Amino acid sequence: MTGGHGVELGLETDGPDEMRRNARRNIKNGARNIKMMATGGVSVDGEKPTDVQLSEEEMRVAVEEAHHKGYTACAHAQGTEGIKNAIRAGVDSIEHGVYLDDEAIQMLLAHGTFVVPTLIAPYAINQHPDVLPEFMVAKSVEISEAHFESIGKAAKAGVKLALGTDSGTAYNDFENSAAFEMELMVRAGVTPLQALQASSRNAAELLKINQETGTLEDGKLADFLVLKENPLEDIRAVQGEKDVYKKGRLV
C-alpha cells in the first residue's frame, strides 16, 4: 500500500484495480512470482509487524493474475489478521508467519497454503544490536519467541513448510543462511525430516517445478548433496562436509 512495508522494493498500490494493473505490469516485465505486503514488519520504522496493510480484496486480484499465467503469489505476513487475509486471498505461501493462532493454522491446512518461516531473519538482527537501528532490534527481539512457537505449532499440525531465508535483510546473506535456517527450524520444533522436505520436495512443489526437481526420480534433474553425517539424526549435518552434485555431476 502507499507508505507500506517494502515501498523501496516494489510498487505502491491502492485498490483492486490498481493492484490488477500492477500485477500485470510486473508479469509483463518478467516477474514469475507476485509478492505482496499483507502486514507491516521489523525493518521499517513507524509500523508494527501486526499492522494490517494490503486488504484481502486487493491481494485476491493479484493472486488471480499470477495464477492465470501459471505463476505463484506470496505475501509477507507477520501479524495474525494479515496472515488470514492473505490465506483467504489465495496466496500460495505466507512468508514469515510470525503470529499464527489456531484458526490461522487450520486455514493454512484447509487451503494447502505453504509457510516459509525465515527464522534466520530476526535471529540475525538479534545478534547485532550494537550496529543496527534500535527500533529494528526492539521489534525483532519482540517477535522472536512468538515466531518460533508459531512455526513449531504449524509443523506439528502438518502445515506444509518451504525453506527460505529472507536473504538481503541485515546480516542475512545467500552463502550460509539456508543450512542454518534448517537448524533454526528444528530448534523451533520442526522435525529433521520436515526440514529436509522443506528444502527440497516442498520448495519444488511451491514453485511449481516439482516435475523437474525436488526429489530423486528418473527424468528429474540430478541435483543433490552427499553428506558425511546423517541429517535425520542431526540436521547440522547439512552445514558440514558434503559433496554437491548438479545434473548428476560432482561440482
Side-chain angles (χ1 to χ4, degrees):
M1 70 178 194
T2 296
H5 189 76
V7 294
E8 72 283 1
L9 300 173
L11 301 175
E12 290 180 297
T13 304
D14 301 298
D17 290 341
E18 191 171 39
M19 178 65 82
R20 191 179 301 277
R21 184 182 308 113
N22 282 338
R24 289 172 173 172
R25 179 178 300 157
N26 274 348
I27 291 170
K28 175 185 175 182
N29 290 336
R32 296 297 176 261
N33 174 275
I34 300 298
K35 182 175 182 178
M36 296 162 285
M37 303 300 182
T39 70
V42 165
S43 59
V44 177
D45 199 9
E47 65 177 26
K48 301 186 296 296
T50 53
D51 289 347
V52 174
Q53 295 197 357
L54 291 175
S55 70
E56 177 185 338
E57 184 181 16
E58 287 171 323
M59 288 186 282
R60 182 177 293 112
V61 296
V63 171
E64 289 174 358
E65 293 304 318
H67 287 179
H68 285 166
K69 292 287 189 178
Y71 304 145
T72 52
C74 67
H76 157 103
Q78 298 187 354
T80 309
E81 291 309 309
I83 290 169
K84 294 175 183 178
N85 285 342
I87 297 169
R88 286 190 290 260
V91 298
D92 298 284
S93 65
I94 296 294
E95 312 298 304
H96 317 307
V98 173
Y99 293 105
L100 295 173
D101 64 10
D102 291 341
E103 182 183 28
I105 288 173
Q106 290 306 309
M107 290 173 66
L108 290 165
L109 292 169
H111 288 258
T113 311
F114 287 82
V115 171
V116 183
T118 72
L119 294 166
I120 195 171
Y123 177 90
I125 291 171
N126 296 350
Q127 307 312 303
H128 299 88
D130 297 332
V131 294
L132 293 173
E134 184 178 349
F135 76 84
M136 183 186 298
V137 175
K139 287 194 288 184
S140 181
V141 169
E142 182 179 351
I143 70 169
S144 292
E145 183 176 351
H147 197 184
F148 270 70
E149 289 180 358
S150 288
I151 300 308
K153 285 173 60 178
K156 186 175 182 179
V159 171
K160 293 188 291 188
L161 304 177
L163 183 70
T165 64
D166 211 27
S167 280
T169 53
Y171 296 93
N172 182 13
D173 61 36
F174 289 95
E175 185 174 356
N176 301 304
S177 297
F180 189 61
E181 171 71 12
M182 297 172 76
E183 179 182 341
L184 293 177
M185 290 169 68
V186 171
R187 290 189 199 178
V190 179
T191 69
L193 178 58
Q194 286 177 311
L196 291 168
Q197 291 172 333
S199 71
S200 54
R201 184 187 71 183
N202 290 6
E205 181 185 345
L206 169 59
L207 296 176
K208 302 185 187 303
I209 56 173
N210 52 312
Q211 296 305 309
E212 306 162 28
T213 189
T215 55
L216 289 174
E217 297 181 70
D218 287 344
K220 293 189 176 183
L221 297 174
D223 297 346
F224 58 91
L225 305 177
V226 178
L227 304 175
K228 184 177 179 63
E229 304 295 339
N230 184 356
L232 292 176
E233 295 176 357
D234 187 345
I235 196 64
R236 290 175 296 180
V238 299
Q239 301 171 37
E241 184 180 335
K242 63 180 71 69
D243 290 330
V244 180
Y245 286 79
K246 184 173 177 62
K247 296 184 179 179
R249 295 181 181 272
L250 178 66
V251 297

